[in-house]
Amino acid sequence: MKGGQLELRNLRKAFGGVVATDDVSLAFEPGTLSAIIGPNGAGKTTLFHLITGKLPVTSGQVLLDGAEITGLDRREIVRRGIGRAFQVANLFPSFPVAEALAAALMAHDGRSASLLGAFPPPDVRDRAAEVMELCGLTPLARTESRHLSHGDQKLLDIALALALDPKVLLLDEPTAGMGPDERWRMIERVHRLWEARGITLVFIEHDMDIVFRIAQSVRVLRYGAVLAQGTPEEIRRDPAVIEAYLGAEHAL
């Protein structure tokens, strides 16, 4: 699958007098792996909410492959090719992994009523099996979602997003709440998924070792605005980024 081009033009979000996203213009080229970093309150998650339609845009544009998707219904934005991890285990806690994934896929396809009949339909079962294999979840197919480790629940969320065939996948802190070893296993899995699917992947992350290890490019937000963007090496050398966020320990 070829990744899509995601472009943000002068994107702004205001909550009354508080500006959470301030004139953000960014472009993510097809098939690239990019990180968004910045202090708490910098507007990183708000930016994802604007891209996916969870929050309405105050002004500006979101474009996918040159077509504007600003203001579209969230389901339509997913249909166009923007994917974001969901909390599948919280939706279907007593379902085994395979069935939780299938149920979420059916709900997305508008086939929730078929949950009352034969479950799951063959096409949904095949899609679930494919992404479970890709995400390394096949050995856990019969494990109830609520009994998964924190890391495997995150993988289940990513599996659902991949099952919807996105051109662009957004991951908000995929390693949050994990210990050091689990964090690296997760990010290595994410990197392999990106390589296997060829999608455009954008992730928010606070662990700078992870960011500088796998990201091809890094965007830095502060107070809702773009402070800097460039390669990991350029970001590590940027005096403004060092002062505002990284500190001397991460500078080259």
Side-chain angles (χ1 to χ4, degrees), residues 31-35 167-171 190 194 199-203:
T32 54
L33 177 58
S34 305
K167 298 178 181 178
V168 177
L169 178 60
L170 309 177
L171 299 180
V190 168
W194 168 70
I199 57 179
T200 305
L201 196 151
V202 185
F203 70 103

Side-chain angles (χ1 to χ4, degrees), residues 119-235:
F119 180 79
D123 63 315
V124 173
R125 185 174 62 245
D126 291 345
R127 287 163 65 193
E130 178 188 355
V131 295
M132 281 192 300
E133 180 67 25
L134 190 62
C135 294
L137 289 170
T138 303
L140 299 171
R142 307 312 306 165
T143 302
E144 289 186 9
S145 301
R146 62 186 170 187
H147 293 150
L148 295 175
S149 69
H150 179 65
D152 287 334
Q153 286 192 6
K154 290 254 187 179
L155 279 175
L156 180 56
D157 295 342
I158 294 171
L160 174 61
L162 288 173
L164 303 182
D165 293 326
K167 298 178 181 178
V168 177
L169 178 60
L170 309 177
L171 299 180
D172 192 345
E173 296 191 54
T175 68
M178 299 181 188
D181 291 343
E182 194 176 21
R183 290 168 76 87
W184 281 109
R185 285 196 298 270
M186 167 60 79
I187 211 65
E188 287 168 4
R189 173 66 68 177
V190 168
H191 192 265
R192 288 197 296 269
L193 293 174
W194 168 70
E195 289 182 320
R197 282 295 183 98
I199 57 179
T200 305
L201 196 151
V202 185
F203 70 103
I204 294 170
E205 182 55 65
H206 285 288
D207 188 322
M208 292 301 99
D209 290 334
I210 286 174
V211 169
F212 293 139
R213 174 78 64 87
I214 74 165
Q216 295 176 318
S217 62
V218 182
R219 276 73 169 184
V220 187
L221 298 185
R222 184 180 62 167
Y223 304 130
V226 178
L227 175 64
Q229 55 183 311
T231 66
E233 292 77 15
E234 290 169 339
I235 294 301

Side-chain angles (χ1 to χ4, degrees), residues 16-78:
V18 178
V19 178
T21 304
D22 189 6
D23 195 33
V24 170
S25 293
L26 295 170
F28 302 91
E29 293 302 314
T32 54
L33 177 58
S34 305
I36 295 178
I37 67 173
N40 290 331
K44 303 181 297 294
T45 297
T46 298
L47 194 66
F48 274 17
H49 288 342
L50 297 176
I51 295 169
T52 59
K54 185 173 183 179
L55 286 175
V57 171
T58 301
S59 60
Q61 297 174 293
V62 181
L63 297 96
L64 178 63
D65 292 332
E68 186 169 6
I69 60 172
T70 321
L72 294 180
D73 176 82
R74 291 172 67 181
R75 187 181 296 272
E76 177 62 18
I77 290 174
V78 172

